[in-house]
Amino acid sequence: MGKETASNWQFFLLLSGKPLEGVGEAILVLSGKGGVGKSTVTVQIASSLKMLGHKVGILDIDLCGPSIPRMVGVEGCDVLTTPDGKWIPVSVNNDKNFSVISLAFFLDSKNDAVIWRGPKKNAMIKQLLTNIAWDVDYLIIDTPPGTSDEHISVMENIRDCPVKGAVLVTTPQMVAVDDVTRELTFCRRTGIKVLGIIENMSGFVCPNCSECSNIFATGGGQKLAEKYSVPFLGKVPIDPSLTKCLETGESYLERFSQSEGSKIMKNVAECFTKKEMEVDA
């Protein structure tokens, strides 16, 4: 492996290889709208799979909000390159079994806005899908919200890749569920299997009395799963401890292993690793 850094990503735009080379199976994390905790769910799924003993990577292609590096404590790290010009994923806490690539690594400042037209965004997405030196069992891909041109670029590039399927993330209220319904339709039209739906921010459990307050209503994600006959993966409550861990890059699953959110995400990861798992396309 070379030690040259990829500080100027434009230099590599002419390079490309086979999409998702070195990846066992890819899992997409999707949502029809922003602000539902898609990146948070991405990190927890990846961490859960890593804790099960798998080599896991996260590919952050949410170009307008690449927040994964901060969530796992690798913000500001340099990306090295191989002798043939491929980017080397950044290890989390020097753990070779847990690595990350994000557009955030290639920006001059974390405050930089990605003000690009479609062709430039699509070119970068292709680079992130084809020019990474992965060696992982599972790759969790954090995508932009909605069903935009960027999503089409992703689907076109991974059409012949080993993709296990997609996880759809919603919050309980119907305005969010309606948007996620469109994402589910998008998956079916593009041939991506729906592994299940996670209802995030589903209630707030008081740390003092343990009473659950349904701030954003409840049950919308579960009803959507039942309506379209896809697996419902669980309700993840709002947890201030999770927020603190994501701000500092600490592992929520390790620090709060007995929390409701940790238990749900561990069950989700165990479900994904079952070879007999059957999901609707």
Side-chain angles (χ1 to χ4, degrees):
M1 296 294 184
K3 293 186 177 181
E4 183 181 2
T5 61
S7 58
N8 185 358
W9 68 265
Q10 289 92 339
F11 176 78
F12 299 99
L13 279 179
L14 295 177
L15 299 174
S16 63
K18 181 181 177 182
L20 302 187
E21 191 170 6
V23 173
E25 288 186 303
I27 297 174
L28 299 165
V29 180
L30 305 169
S31 179
K33 65 187 282 84
V36 298
K38 180 168 46 58
S39 296
T40 298
V41 169
T42 296
V43 170
Q44 304 316 311
I45 291 176
S47 299
S48 298
L49 288 167
K50 195 267 293 187
M51 291 179 70
L52 290 175
H54 300 286
K55 298 176 70 174
V56 183
I58 297 178
L59 176 57
D60 181 8
I61 55 175
D62 188 351
L63 302 186
C64 294
S67 54
I68 295 290
R70 179 170 183 172
M71 291 181 172
V72 296
V74 293
E75 192 174 32
C77 289
D78 289 329
V79 176
L80 304 181
T81 64
T82 64
D84 60 354
K86 285 195 172 185
W87 295 325
I88 302 172
V90 175
S91 297
V92 177
N93 294 325
N94 295 317
D95 187 345
K96 297 299 183 182
N97 291 327
F98 193 16
S99 55
V100 176
I101 278 290
S102 170
L103 175 67
F105 293 135
F106 307 107
L107 300 177
D108 292 331
S109 167
K110 66 178 182 180
N111 297 321
D112 285 353
V114 180
I115 308 174
W116 296 347
R117 293 187 182 277
K120 193 170 183 179
K121 287 183 178 180
N122 295 335
M124 188 60 187
I125 287 174
K126 182 176 181 179
Q127 285 296 107
L128 291 171
L129 290 169
T130 61
N131 201 48
I132 312 297
W134 292 113
D135 179 18
V136 295
D137 302 317
Y138 293 97
L139 179 67
I140 317 302
I141 304 177
D142 185 21
T143 65
T147 53
S148 60
D149 188 38
E150 292 96 313
H151 286 77
I152 297 173
S153 294
V154 172
M155 300 309 176
E156 287 178 344
N157 280 283
I158 65 174
R159 184 180 293 115
D160 299 321
C161 298
V163 177
K164 192 175 188 68
V167 176
L168 306 186
V169 182
T170 186
T171 47
Q173 68 272 38
M174 292 310 299
V175 67
V177 171
D178 287 345
D179 287 336
V180 176
T181 302
R182 300 184 186 98
E183 195 76 53
L184 193 152
T185 302
F186 176 84
C187 288
R188 289 185 164 175
R189 288 184 176 178
T190 55
I192 297 293
K193 292 182 179 180
V194 177
L195 300 176
I197 295 173
I198 290 177
E199 185 175 299
N200 196 30
M201 306 182 197
S202 186
F204 173 78
V205 179
C206 176
N208 297 317
C209 67
S210 298
E211 180 180 351
C212 182
S213 300
N214 293 316
I215 301 172
F216 299 129
T218 186
Q222 187 168 6
K223 291 177 182 177
L224 179 64
E226 292 171 356
K227 179 179 179 179
Y228 288 93
S229 301
V230 299
F232 181 66
L233 301 175
K235 299 179 180 180
V236 180
I238 296 172
D239 187 344
S241 298
L242 172 59
T243 302
K244 291 179 181 178
C245 287
L246 293 173
E247 289 291 334
T248 59
E250 297 178 86
S251 173
Y252 171 72
L253 296 178
E254 292 179 0
R255 284 201 59 190
F256 301 96
S257 60
Q258 297 306 308
S259 66
E260 185 66 20
S262 290
K263 292 177 182 177
I264 291 171
M265 298 314 300
K266 290 174 183 176
N267 288 337
V268 169
E270 290 174 355
C271 178
F272 289 167
T273 57
K274 293 179 181 178
K275 294 186 180 300
E276 67 274 15
M277 180 182 184
E278 296 182 1
V279 295
D280 291 335

